[in-house]
Amino acid sequence: MKKFIAFLILFQGIVSSIQAQYITVKGKVSDASNDELLIGVVVNFGKDKITTTDLDGAFNIAIPEGKYALKLSLMGYKNFSDSIVIDANTKLLQYKLEKSVRELDQVVISAGKYEQKLSEITVSMDVIKPKIVENKNTVNLETIADQVPGVTVTDGQVSIRGGSGFSYGAGSRVLMCVDEMPMLAADAGDIKWSYLPIENLDQIEVIKGASSALFGSSALNGVINVRTAYPKEKPETKVTFFAGIYDNPKRSGLKWWDSNPTTNGSSFYHAQKAGNFDLVASGNVFNDEGYREGENELRGRFNINVKYNFKKIKGLSIGMNSNAMQTTGGLFILWQDADSGAYKPQAGTLSNYVTTRSNYDPFITYFTKKGDKHTIRTRYFNTTNTNNTNQESTAELYYSEYQYRHLFKKNGALNLGAVATRSVIISDSLYGFHDGANYALYAQIDRRFWNRLSVSLGLRGEYFKIDEEESVTDVNIFTKTDTITLLKGVKMRPVMRFGLNFQAFEYTYIRASFGQGYRFPSVAEKYVQTSVGALTIFPNQQLQPETGTSAEVGIKQGFKIANWNGFIDVAAFSTTYRNMMEFAFGIYFPDSFPPQQQQFLGNKLKYLGFKSVNVSNARINGIEASIAGNGKIGPLDISLFAGYTYTQPLNLNYNPNLDTIKNENANVLKYRFFHNVKGDLQIDYKKFYVGLSSRYNSNIINIDDSFQKPVFSYIIPGATFGPTILPGLENYRAIHNTGNLYFDFRIGYQISNANKVSLIVNNMLNTENMGRPGDMQAPRLWMLQYVTKF
């Protein structure tokens, strides 16, 4: 017994001795620029002595007394090193990390739904910062999206690398997201650009190429993800005012006004932490008299994001993001004529409308102690359109998603998710009454090996239903000569993506990717039935889903000139589509229409118009080269991004009876061009800055000939008489269809740290050009902007 007691005393002494040699080290890490506490900082005291900061930016680790070479690292920040002695006198350690200024170190989320360096992702991506959005006085995201290399927006229809043309406001092959949640209307499936929250913008991420595996239908051509800002440690408020006036057109005959139209607006943004609450509130008011007669716009938008962080349940937070907007105004899509009436509507085509939109997005987020993330996100999105042309509709969308994310210790992540969406469309005049559903499961794994090779693999299955029609399809492998069917009658359509990124040298990254896409037709594309003037649009209930593949190889090369750093990116890409959906002009008799009555001229005219149809196979090959950089050269702070994109958009199954295109480039897809150049340069010197943006695209090769040929030519071959949908368009294109070059200019002065004034001139050279047929673009616009922050 005495020996046992002696053993216990000796054992206790040994334990006490060992415990005395260990020190519990506590610390906090924050952002050097704004004192924001940083989550996920890797705190490394040496081998097997590693921890990370928690949701409060704090770390806690027990290590032996001694001298250590401490290293702190976090994506998007400069690495920090310090030599430190740990002993009984060590108190709370506090460190500040500086953000990295290298373009290659930009942090993006969209590619894998977790934080990655821009240089290490496996797809092409461009990033737009809020600085350029503010300095260009962007009033909706359509104009800034059109500034991205390889991206074009034609009257609201967005295309990446020639993937889309113009589809009359219905459907989108590019998915618009806000904080990774889809933001497409339930009826038309299109993007409501003016509804997107630009006041609380953190950054815009543009993925180029099929992204359906992770983001679902409508990501066939790519994704634009708007990341919103969140509160920092210090409250922040910003208010912006602007006023502008349209100049007279260069061609005096286009002027229809007595006094020049004006535009004005204001916006605000406020963010702060209040105890356990995070609050962001923003909104704007915009009024535009319009450079097109009758096409004015008055809108107001307000959005609020709130989040509650539980202190007793570490890692748990709940919140609600909401947005609401009302817009009144007028619009038209058919001009009066190409001369003095290019800014005037055809008789009976002007629509006066009132549109209200609102969404409410409750969410729950939970981080486990090991860093795994569970997220439940939901949304109710309502769009109600009323107007004086009997084209009213109400669309409701119910969205829910569960996502699980696991971060690997040696860089990478696993994402698993399930999505359920339901849509209800009510419209007596446009679509009828329809009920739709979409269910999906997805998984994507991203891993980095040997600190040089990034691998990405994603898989998704999607099921669609509109009314009683389901997304039943065959899974095929296509060869040059044959089609091999792997699975028949599949209700859940599988799509996948695969990508590689290899760091060949310190600043050289080589990537390759392949992705599949799948898009189910929108309600508008299948069921819309309306007319505007001489333009009639028919429904097509037999319209089939379109599928596609996107492949690319690219290289990103970083460089540094003095204190100015950036990268050059070059990529070659190929995109294919099957059952591609396009609106085509023709005579569309109902299936039940008697054949003997189809020969009468009156009946042919009655059923002459546009319909969304499957134009079978298409292929778009091309190359893209871009450059981006920022930093100082001498006393100048210079920011630059620019790019050139060449596309060859071919319809592989051109049918003259379907596409109605009759020229030497008849196999080129409609509303596309071969060459596209974008660029933006800003130079800051002390309190002054000056910026120049440019956009160029070569001529549009093909349009629907029905816009410029006499209507009777489609009923009586060779006829040269009768009305045209867009009078004067053929002659106008013969003279002016030579490509478009735009320059926008800005200059500003920082009055104080909190106040700035700017002059912005859009279309600086007052260039005259047309977007889609009949859509004459704005003349020069002068704007004054004042921004105050406090």
Side-chain angles (χ1 to χ4, degrees), residues 485-702:
T485 300
L486 299 179
L487 297 171
K488 291 185 67 66
V490 177
K491 289 188 177 182
M492 180 160 280
R493 174 76 190 195
V495 293
M496 59 84 65
R497 73 167 301 271
F498 177 72
L500 297 171
N501 183 306
F502 178 68
Q503 185 177 357
F505 304 101
E506 185 177 4
Y507 301 122
T508 305
Y509 298 83
I510 302 170
R511 68 182 182 278
S513 68
F514 172 84
Q516 294 177 315
Y518 173 78
R519 187 172 80 87
F520 200 75
S522 67
V523 167
E525 289 168 299
K526 287 178 71 72
Y527 298 106
V528 64
Q529 185 164 5
T530 188
S531 62
V532 181
L535 180 63
T536 302
I537 301 177
F538 296 101
N540 183 3
Q541 297 185 26
Q542 286 72 47
L543 191 64
Q544 296 300 305
E546 60 183 2
T547 61
T549 61
S550 176
E552 78 161 6
V553 292
I555 182 170
K556 193 183 295 288
Q557 176 63 56
F559 62 87
K560 186 176 182 180
I561 302 173
N563 291 318
W564 196 81
N565 71 88
F567 62 82
I568 295 174
D569 190 286
V570 179
F573 57 87
S574 179
T575 304
T576 61
Y577 295 102
R578 295 187 180 274
N579 282 334
M580 190 179 199
M581 291 180 272
E582 294 275 356
F583 277 89
F585 192 76
I587 302 173
Y588 297 106
F589 291 111
D591 293 337
S592 59
F593 199 80
Q596 62 270 22
Q597 296 186 26
Q598 295 181 9
Q599 305 305 315
F600 293 107
L601 178 62
N603 290 333
K604 289 183 177 181
L605 284 173
K606 181 179 180 181
Y607 293 104
L608 184 68
F610 287 89
K611 178 192 284 190
S612 184
V613 298
N614 297 108
V615 296
S616 195
N617 303 334
R619 183 180 65 236
I620 304 169
N621 294 334
I623 58 172
E624 186 171 273
S626 60
I627 182 173
N630 73 80
K632 283 187 174 294
I633 298 180
L636 304 179
D637 198 333
I638 301 174
S639 299
L640 168 70
F641 75 89
Y644 163 73
T645 308
Y646 168 78
T647 57
Q648 188 183 52
L650 301 179
N651 182 351
L652 301 180
N653 296 88
Y654 168 68
N655 184 339
N657 296 322
L658 185 63
D659 283 348
T660 68
I661 300 173
K662 301 176 178 62
N663 58 46
E664 63 274 14
N665 289 314
N667 64 333
V668 175
L669 295 170
K670 294 178 293 187
Y671 308 109
R672 271 81 162 187
F673 34 76
F674 293 134
H675 306 281
N676 179 247
V677 182
K678 304 285 180 66
D680 186 89
L681 172 67
Q682 180 166 313
I683 300 175
D684 294 65
Y685 176 71
K686 294 184 178 180
K687 293 186 176 183
F688 290 91
Y689 75 83
V690 61
L692 183 70
S693 297
S694 63
R695 304 183 301 282
Y696 168 78
N697 57 265
S698 56
N699 62 300
I700 296 177
I701 299 101
N702 285 325

Side-chain angles (χ1 to χ4, degrees), residues 147-391:
Q147 189 64 55
V148 178
V151 179
T152 56
V153 185
T154 304
D155 198 19
Q157 298 284 325
V158 62
S159 170
I160 296 178
R161 293 174 171 174
S164 302
F166 173 65
S167 56
Y168 310 87
S172 177
R173 294 191 183 100
V174 176
L175 181 63
M176 172 60 69
C177 293
V178 176
D179 293 325
E180 302 171 42
M181 291 186 68
M183 187 63 82
L184 298 180
D187 51 0
D190 62 337
I191 300 171
K192 309 299 184 185
W193 295 98
S194 61
Y195 185 63
L196 301 170
I198 59 174
E199 300 83 26
N200 62 338
L201 179 67
D202 182 55
Q203 69 182 27
I204 304 170
E205 300 173 358
V206 181
I207 300 176
K208 300 176 180 179
S211 303
S212 292
L214 197 58
F215 287 93
S217 183
S218 296
L220 187 68
N221 189 211
V223 176
I224 300 176
N225 184 30
V226 177
R227 290 173 52 187
T228 58
Y230 54 90
K232 308 298 190 296
E233 288 302 310
K234 296 180 180 179
E236 180 182 5
T237 302
K238 179 173 69 173
V239 181
T240 302
F241 303 94
F242 79 91
I245 186 168
Y246 290 98
D247 211 335
N248 292 329
K250 184 175 291 185
R251 185 154 51 104
S252 60
L254 294 176
K255 179 184 174 184
W256 57 266
W257 51 76
D258 294 325
S259 59
N260 292 63
T262 62
T263 182
N264 60 80
S266 61
S267 65
F268 78 93
Y269 165 80
H270 176 75
Q272 74 172 78
K273 291 178 177 290
N276 295 345
F277 282 94
D278 292 349
L279 170 68
V280 176
S282 63
N284 72 19
V285 176
F286 174 73
N287 181 39
D288 187 3
E289 293 182 343
Y291 59 91
R292 297 181 1 136
E293 187 177 21
E295 199 167 271
N296 58 306
E297 181 180 8
L298 173 63
R299 70 170 184 258
R301 184 181 69 243
F302 176 77
N303 57 279
I304 182 168
N305 301 343
V306 294
K307 184 171 72 170
Y308 179 77
N309 304 294
F310 289 84
K311 289 297 183 181
K312 293 185 178 180
I313 308 176
K314 284 287 187 179
L316 178 65
S317 60
I318 61 173
M320 165 84 82
N321 300 335
S322 60
N323 196 10
M325 181 178 76
Q326 183 175 74
T327 307
T328 62
L331 61 84
F332 64 89
I333 65 172
L334 302 179
W335 67 20
Q336 195 176 92
D337 58 67
D339 298 319
S340 60
Y343 284 140
K344 297 179 180 180
Q346 279 186 30
T349 65
L350 179 65
S351 173
N352 295 310
Y353 65 89
V354 178
T355 300
T356 59
R357 300 185 180 101
S358 61
N359 68 277
Y360 308 93
D361 305 345
F363 65 88
I364 303 173
T365 301
Y366 177 64
F367 287 90
T368 68
K369 293 181 179 180
K370 294 183 178 181
D372 292 346
K373 181 181 179 183
H374 299 267
T375 305
I376 297 175
R377 293 180 287 198
T378 61
R379 163 173 293 162
Y380 169 73
F381 183 19
N382 176 280
T383 301
T384 301
N385 299 302
T386 59
N387 54 42
N388 65 334
T389 55
N390 194 32
Q391 295 173 324

Side-chain angles (χ1 to χ4, degrees), residues 419-458:
V419 177
T421 304
R422 181 171 179 258
S423 56
V424 178
I425 294 90
I426 304 170
S427 175
D428 288 325
S429 54
L430 275 178
Y431 315 121
F433 299 81
H434 301 283
D435 192 301
N438 170 219
Y439 305 106
L441 299 172
Y442 66 84
Q444 180 161 311
I445 185 169
D446 295 89
R447 290 301 304 267
R448 189 162 176 82
F449 300 96
W450 311 296
N451 206 31
R452 283 186 176 271
L453 177 64
S454 298
V455 180
S456 179
L457 178 64

Side-chain angles (χ1 to χ4, degrees), residues 722-733:
T724 57
I725 295 176
L726 288 169
L729 178 62
E730 185 172 25
N731 290 334
Y732 184 88
R733 278 175 50 84

